[in-house]
Amino acid sequence: MLDAEQDKFFQSKICLVISNREDAYALERAKNYNVPAFVLKSENEILDKLSEYDIDTIVLAGYLRILGTTLLKEYQDRIINIHPSLLPKYGGKGMYGLNVHRAVFEHKEKESGATVHFVNETVDGGKILIQESISIEGAMSPEEIQKIVLDVEHRILKEAILKLEEENLEESIIKCYR
């Protein structure tokens, strides 16, 4: 996402990176791009920081905690998430990362993919914004599926931001005060 912003793939600005894990690589990448980055644990801390930076839209990319009701209500229809499967298949609580790809592999699926969806109170249950499938017939392990799907994830997350801009679903998405 930071590379896409720098390459002017979209107009939106990444104003802030938040993680609940101190070892998250996204924090280091953010610092390399001079984007403020924070490790925050509580919903109140997150809400305060989002308010401080005047954040309009939240993009979840690798954030594995389930969001609280207050945050979901405050940012209703303004949070998107990338999920490594063709939702609604292989979504829901506990279905993230390699867990998803193991399930896909165990069910001998011929294709998988990724989905960008709006976040609501149902885990992976929000309205789908973009979804793309890809053949995984040659994949010999969940790890191979993960690598194949990751390319799709990176591409469609950028496209989702562009789609939000083009559809003006969030007119202020491009505003940022750094």
Side-chain angles (χ1 to χ4, degrees):
M1 296 296 295
L2 291 162
D3 292 338
E5 177 190 355
Q6 184 173 339
D7 294 342
K8 303 199 181 318
F9 185 87
F10 45 69
Q11 294 178 10
S12 297
K13 302 294 179 207
I14 300 168
C15 306
L16 175 65
V17 171
I18 295 174
S19 178
N20 63 313
R21 292 184 8 243
E22 292 180 20
D23 63 341
Y25 182 56
L27 298 168
E28 182 182 328
R29 287 197 37 88
K31 288 177 184 171
N32 291 340
Y33 279 86
N34 296 315
V35 173
F38 300 92
V39 176
L40 303 175
K41 303 285 184 180
S42 79
E43 184 178 32
N44 287 335
E45 287 178 307
I46 293 169
L47 282 164
D48 289 346
K49 200 56 75 175
L50 294 171
S51 176
E52 178 184 337
Y53 281 83
D54 197 26
I55 302 300
D56 298 307
T57 303
I58 300 170
V59 177
L60 301 177
Y63 192 79
L64 299 180
R65 292 183 68 195
I66 295 175
L67 301 180
T69 355
T70 307
L71 184 59
L72 288 172
K73 185 181 279 185
E74 184 73 26
Y75 282 86
Q76 184 175 354
D77 300 324
R78 296 186 295 143
I79 305 173
I80 62 171
N81 180 47
I82 182 78
H83 185 79
S85 79
L86 298 172
L87 291 175
K89 287 178 106 174
Y90 307 108
K93 192 170 182 178
M95 291 306 252
Y96 59 87
L98 207 50
N99 293 347
V100 172
H101 306 300
R102 280 189 197 106
V104 168
F105 187 75
E106 288 169 8
H107 285 95
K108 298 178 177 34
E109 298 284 357
K110 302 251 186 271
E111 67 176 20
S112 189
T115 305
V116 177
H117 64 93
F118 287 96
V119 177
N120 63 18
E121 61 283 341
T122 303
V123 177
D124 297 326
K127 178 183 167 197
I128 293 173
L129 184 60
I130 293 180
Q131 189 172 67
E132 184 177 314
S133 64
I134 190 165
S135 172
I136 55 166
E137 286 192 71
M140 302 300 287
S141 69
E143 291 79 9
E144 282 186 42
I145 295 171
Q146 185 176 42
K147 287 179 185 176
I148 293 166
V149 170
L150 188 60
D151 288 337
V152 175
E153 287 182 79
H154 287 170
R155 184 174 55 259
I156 71 169
L157 187 55
K158 296 184 304 189
E159 290 172 4
I161 299 300
L162 197 57
K163 184 174 181 177
L164 286 175
E165 291 174 347
E166 288 169 354
E167 293 178 0
N168 289 319
L169 293 176
E170 186 58 56
E171 291 178 16
S172 57
I173 194 170
I174 64 171
K175 294 180 183 171
C176 175
Y177 305 99
R178 277 200 220 161

